[in-house]
Amino acid sequence: MNPILAILKEHNVSDAQIKDLFQTLTENPMAAMATIGQLGIPPEKLQQLMGLVMQKPALIKEAVVELGLDFSKVAAAKAQLQK
């Protein structure tokens, strides 16, 4: 299992919340950061999660594919952030 998804599931984040989070990530990455903060994940695990996202962005693609979402939207969101 993808380590990002594993951390979320470890903290009882529902499948629906995970899909919503990654859907938000594909549409508005900054909003996704706020959403992650509201999931009730302890600070040390939240820091680990954010570290994974920052150090290994390929994990986001793996998680999106594993969830059956459209990765092209993630790529478009990433391009928008770089402007």
Side-chain angles (χ1 to χ4, degrees):
M1 175 181 281
N2 180 291
I4 295 171
L5 297 177
I7 290 172
L8 294 171
K9 288 189 177 280
E10 176 184 330
H11 291 88
N12 300 318
V13 178
S14 72
D15 289 343
Q17 286 176 303
I18 291 171
K19 278 199 167 192
D20 286 346
L21 172 62
F22 278 90
Q23 188 67 41
T24 302
L25 181 64
T26 63
E27 295 167 1
N28 184 345
M30 297 310 285
M33 295 303 177
T35 303
I36 289 170
Q38 297 171 0
L39 294 175
I41 298 172
E44 63 278 358
K45 282 292 184 174
L46 188 58
Q47 185 175 6
Q48 179 185 1
L49 178 67
M50 298 309 287
L52 281 171
V53 168
M54 301 303 279
Q55 294 172 2
K56 300 180 181 181
L59 291 175
I60 295 172
K61 180 179 180 180
E62 289 175 21
V64 167
V65 170
E66 195 171 318
L67 293 169
L69 300 173
D70 183 358
F71 185 73
S72 66
K73 290 183 180 179
V74 173
K78 183 179 176 184
Q80 181 140 1
L81 276 178
Q82 293 175 343
K83 288 183 179 179

